[in-house]
Amino acid sequence: MKIAELSARSGRSIPTIKFYLREGLLPSGDRTAANQAQYGEAHLRRLQLITTLIEVGGLPLSRVRAVVEAIDDDTLTTHQVVGRAHHALGCRGGEPSSSPELSRAERDVDAFLEAMGWRVSAEAPARRELAGALVSLRQLGRPGDTASFERYAAVAFELAAWELSRTSLSGSRSEAVEAVVTGTIVFETALVALRRLAQEHHATEPQGNKPQ
Amino acid sequence: MKIAELSARSGRSIPTIKFYLREGLLPSGDRTAANQAQYGEAHLRRLQLITTLIEVGGLPLSRVRAVVEAIDDDTLTTHQVVGRAHHALGCRGGEPSSSPELSRAERDVDAFLEAMGWRVSAEAPARRELAGALVSLRQLGRPGDTASFERYAAVAFELAAWELSRTSLSGSRSEAVEAVVTGTIVFETALVALRRLAQEHHATEPQGNKPQ
């Protein structure tokens, strides 16, 4: 397809597409004339991935590039690409600042994941995020052990398995990896939004009104 | 307690505490001498709330102020405070840009929440976030109806109810509201981190390795 059709099908403007081409986020099309190129379904998919990373994930271009480069690196396994993509997605909230409490919480999180038998790279930024949440619980005087995460871990484990089972991994490698990465972002956003909406709903229940 | 003890117990430095006092995020202590004030448990709790909002939630000061002001506004119900706090927390990812597709998705999300009977304010930013995720699913050619959110909604509903049942609402109003708000942020962070870790784990399963 020509760039005009790529624009129409993706909902992105031609200048935006040209910008992504110049930035190397989108691979060049096949030149068919001095000033014309043909684009395929892979371009459309990649464009949708970039849009999701920016609009739903809120990622800056530098991180979008890191995700795209990981997907295009054929020497990485799917597992490694998912790890890299998560790394590029970074912490959604604040980055917990270093402290002895954080170091202790990080060791506790490592032991927790080890005990559950989860295969996760040692550098996964989510380890640090989880440790940051643990530090907060401890400072707040709430049940500050990793056991308070067990229910969330069980829910997360089931959801992740269910999502992967619904993700079509039948196409090309990059197609499969793109599907996993977009699923991470889109369903994470949906889950967070729904949890907040449910909280607001439950806060109207008699129990939630008690303190008034 | 004196400011030195407040600092020791909260883990925040004295200059940081003085900054929050000047900014009005932390109420003044009781003056006991020209240059000395006494602080209580309420100050400690408020300081922990501010720390959680900034370090775990990644909120800028202006939004921390909005949360604190909502908590201190006695004319608001708990339900309203939770709504305001969520509003201040804002979108964790990107802000979906306006488009006819987003408007359609927002109407679909409204109908979905209505059908489930969730009591949520019309301005809840999570509605727009959820609509943004729906637009992405549609652009990606994935099952782009709200039914694809049903499982997440069920999980979110149960988790939110469980969290509220574990949140002590026995103290003062501000104590209860602070507990709900910190729970929103801390457990949201934990849930998101655990889901990413579980995804990385599942991506090593035979199915996840298929495309290689």
Side-chain angles (χ1 to χ4, degrees):
Chain A
M1 69 189 103
K2 290 180 185 166
I3 195 166
E5 189 186 339
L6 184 63
S7 168
R9 286 184 58 190
S10 67
R12 314 307 296 164
S13 71
I14 292 178
T16 298
I17 294 173
K18 287 190 172 167
F19 173 71
Y20 293 156
L21 286 166
R22 278 198 308 277
E23 289 285 319
L25 295 176
L26 200 60
S28 313
D30 293 326
R31 293 243 156 260
T32 49
N35 202 15
Q36 210 164 64
Q38 283 291 118
Y39 300 92
E41 295 300 317
H43 289 93
L44 181 61
R45 276 202 333 269
R46 179 58 55 93
L47 199 47
Q48 285 160 338
L49 172 72
I50 296 169
T51 305
T52 302
L53 290 169
I54 293 174
E55 296 236 329
V56 184
L59 260 64
L61 278 191
S62 58
R63 291 191 172 187
V64 174
R65 179 171 293 111
V67 174
V68 164
E69 282 174 358
I71 291 174
D72 289 341
D73 184 344
D74 289 331
T75 67
L76 300 176
T77 64
T78 305
H79 180 232
Q80 288 170 320
V81 175
V82 171
R84 290 272 187 102
H86 285 178
H87 210 110
L89 293 175
C91 292
R92 293 203 84 172
E95 180 84 47
S97 50
S98 297
S99 68
E101 289 76 25
L102 184 68
S103 303
R104 186 161 74 86
E106 283 184 299
R107 285 193 300 274
D108 293 339
V109 163
D110 291 347
F112 176 64
L113 295 175
E114 173 94 32
M116 289 196 303
W118 289 15
R119 289 179 297 273
V120 178
S121 79
E123 304 80 37
R127 286 179 186 263
R128 196 178 168 94
E129 283 187 87
L130 196 55
L134 194 56
V135 169
S136 285
L137 286 179
R138 288 174 177 167
Q139 283 172 346
L140 293 164
R142 294 224 194 169
D145 47 39
T146 45
S148 63
F149 291 151
E150 267 167 21
R151 179 158 179 159
Y152 297 89
V155 165
F157 194 82
E158 268 179 50
L159 280 183
W162 179 70
E163 287 157 11
L164 200 66
S165 74
R166 283 164 51 101
T167 303
S168 164
L169 299 177
S170 54
S172 67
R173 176 183 170 288
S174 74
E175 207 169 331
V177 171
E178 282 171 7
V180 171
V181 172
T182 51
T184 296
I185 298 177
V186 174
F187 290 111
E188 175 174 300
T189 301
L191 180 61
V192 165
L194 285 163
R195 177 170 166 275
R196 288 189 183 180
L197 293 166
Q199 281 180 327
E200 193 178 325
H201 168 78
H202 285 302
T204 61
E205 297 281 325
Q207 189 193 24
N209 284 328
K210 237 185 348 192
Q212 286 164 44
Chain B
M1 69 190 104
K2 291 179 184 166
I3 195 165
E5 188 186 339
L6 184 63
S7 169
R9 286 184 58 191
S10 67
R12 313 307 295 164
S13 70
I14 292 179
T16 298
I17 294 174
K18 288 189 171 167
F19 173 72
Y20 293 156
L21 286 165
R22 277 199 308 277
E23 290 285 319
L25 296 176
L26 200 61
S28 313
D30 293 327
R31 291 243 155 259
T32 49
N35 202 15
Q36 209 164 64
Q38 282 291 117
Y39 301 91
E41 295 300 318
H43 289 92
L44 182 60
R45 274 203 333 270
R46 179 57 55 93
L47 200 46
Q48 285 159 337
L49 172 72
I50 296 169
T51 305
T52 303
L53 291 169
I54 293 173
E55 297 236 330
V56 184
L59 260 65
L61 278 188
S62 58
R63 290 191 172 187
V64 174
R65 179 170 292 113
V67 174
V68 164
E69 282 173 358
I71 291 175
D72 289 340
D73 184 344
D74 289 334
T75 67
L76 300 177
T77 63
T78 306
H79 180 231
Q80 287 171 320
V81 176
V82 170
R84 290 272 187 103
H86 284 179
H87 211 110
L89 293 176
C91 291
R92 293 202 85 173
E95 179 84 47
S97 50
S98 295
S99 68
E101 289 76 26
L102 185 67
S103 302
R104 186 160 76 87
E106 283 184 299
R107 286 193 299 275
D108 293 339
V109 163
D110 291 345
F112 176 64
L113 295 175
E114 173 95 34
M116 290 195 303
W118 288 15
R119 289 180 297 275
V120 177
S121 79
E123 304 79 36
R127 287 179 186 262
R128 196 179 168 92
E129 284 187 85
L130 196 55
L134 194 54
V135 168
S136 286
L137 286 179
R138 288 173 177 168
Q139 282 171 346
L140 293 164
R142 295 224 195 169
D145 47 38
T146 45
S148 63
F149 290 152
E150 268 168 19
R151 178 155 181 162
Y152 297 90
V155 165
F157 194 82
E158 270 180 48
L159 280 183
W162 179 71
E163 287 157 13
L164 200 66
S165 74
R166 284 164 51 101
T167 303
S168 163
L169 300 178
S170 54
S172 67
R173 177 183 170 288
S174 74
E175 207 168 332
V177 171
E178 282 170 8
V180 171
V181 172
T182 52
T184 296
I185 297 177
V186 174
F187 290 110
E188 177 173 298
T189 302
L191 180 61
V192 165
L194 284 163
R195 178 171 167 273
R196 288 190 184 179
L197 292 166
Q199 281 180 328
E200 193 179 325
H201 167 78
H202 285 302
T204 62
E205 295 283 325
Q207 189 194 24
N209 285 327
K210 237 187 347 193
Q212 286 165 47

